[in-house]
Amino acid sequence: MTQEQWTAVDRYFTDLFVPSDPVLDAALEASAAAGLPPHNVSPNQGKLLLLLAQLQRSRTILEIGTLGGYSTIWLARALPSDGYLITLEADAKHAEVAQSNIARAGLSDVVELRVGQALSTLPQLAPEGRSPFDLIFIDADKPNNPDYLAWALKLSRQGSLIIADNVVRKGAVIDTASNDASVQGIRRFNEMLASEPRVSTTVLQTVGSKGYDGFAIALVVAD
Ligand code: SAH
Ligand code: DHB
Ligand code: MG
């Protein structure tokens, strides 16, 4: 199997199930034009995030790692009008592009973008009464994933869904000797999920336009 084949099959399903959407297309175009890295979830993956948030009837969503707001838009579209999504981004330029993409999507009223290192902005949320979150999407710097999971658990309740992107990393996740800080962070994150009695977890391996990777999906089963 080749990347070319994965991309072609991804396009086949995208053409069938993810009708092109001017707002999402414009978000990707503006992100690329501003020189942001193409690290957004793919269209099919965005649709997966939307469906999971809808299935769960999410009213409050936390996202760690905004980039240009592509996954933000997918997730925020699942929200009822009185719901909200808080998204955390360290890079001011990414945040600026995201804010404009979110505005174009008509989602400025439900999305709040906080600029700063997530480990600095996460501690503000509970004291401000913004938690618990129904759904938490972890997709920022992978070396910090263990800390992000600890925060996600603090900011969740029984029934919350914790989703993390990029937990397979082309299979590098099983390299116990890896010196890559991202692989080490993801491995520690996976081990934490496995030993955490508050969550029930699976990993969905994915192939497609973004290569071989995967999502961890963890249901919080106790307060
Ligand atoms: N969720 C986005 C992709 C996010 S890419 C999507 O699918 O569309 C990862 C993002 O995390 C980048 O924008 C990067 O700047 C941001 N990031 C990296 N380290 C961070 C940190 N410590 N705190 C907050 N954001 C961080
Ligand atoms: C990278 C980060 C991501 O969140 C992603 O989905 C793909 C790639 C990266 O840092 O390379
Ligand atoms: Mg990602």
Side-chain angles (χ1 to χ4, degrees), residues 64-130:
I64 309 176
T66 317
L67 192 63
Y70 185 75
S71 56
T72 315
I73 294 171
W74 274 107
L75 285 165
R77 283 179 168 179
L79 291 170
S81 55
D82 63 342
Y84 60 84
L85 182 155
I86 298 179
T87 185
L88 310 179
E89 174 55 54
D91 186 300
K93 179 179 154 194
H94 296 183
E96 190 184 323
V97 174
Q99 200 66 261
S100 145
N101 286 334
I102 290 160
R104 192 191 296 106
L107 292 165
S108 299
D109 288 346
V110 287
V111 174
E112 187 188 330
L113 172 57
R114 297 192 178 195
V115 186
Q117 296 290 325
L119 289 177
S120 303
T121 51
L122 282 163
Q124 304 166 349
L125 300 170
E128 290 178 15
R130 309 308 295 274

Side-chain angles (χ1 to χ4, degrees), residues 5-166:
Q5 205 165 13
W6 294 343
T7 301
V9 174
D10 204 356
R11 183 167 305 121
Y12 165 77
F13 285 119
T14 302
D15 287 346
L16 282 174
F17 301 124
V18 194
S20 93
D21 177 306
V23 159
L24 286 166
D25 294 347
L28 291 183
E29 279 160 28
S31 299
L36 271 50
H39 292 164
N40 49 273
V41 295
S42 69
N44 266 310
Q45 292 171 342
K47 180 78 178 276
L48 173 67
L49 294 176
L50 172 73
L51 290 172
L52 288 169
Q54 288 175 326
L55 269 167
Q56 202 227 4
R57 295 181 163 69
S58 305
R59 303 174 71 84
T60 61
I61 298 178
L62 172 65
E63 176 178 69
I64 309 176
T66 317
L67 192 63
Y70 185 75
S71 56
T72 315
I73 294 171
W74 274 107
L75 285 165
R77 283 179 168 179
L79 291 170
S81 55
D82 63 342
Y84 60 84
L85 182 155
I86 298 179
T87 185
L88 310 179
E89 174 55 54
D91 186 300
K93 179 179 154 194
H94 296 183
E96 190 184 323
V97 174
Q99 200 66 261
S100 145
N101 286 334
I102 290 160
R104 192 191 296 106
L107 292 165
S108 299
D109 288 346
V110 287
V111 174
E112 187 188 330
L113 172 57
R114 297 192 178 195
V115 186
Q117 296 290 325
L119 289 177
S120 303
T121 51
L122 282 163
Q124 304 166 349
L125 300 170
E128 290 178 15
R130 309 308 295 274
S131 57
F133 292 93
D134 299 326
L135 188 154
I136 300 173
F137 180 46
I138 302 175
D139 190 21
D141 48 330
K142 313 311 171 190
N144 278 325
N145 258 43
D147 290 315
Y148 295 151
L149 177 57
W151 276 107
L153 288 164
K154 277 190 202 133
L155 299 171
S156 56
R157 44 118 185 133
Q158 184 177 342
S160 294
L161 200 54
I162 299 172
I163 304 170
D165 192 19
N166 312 114

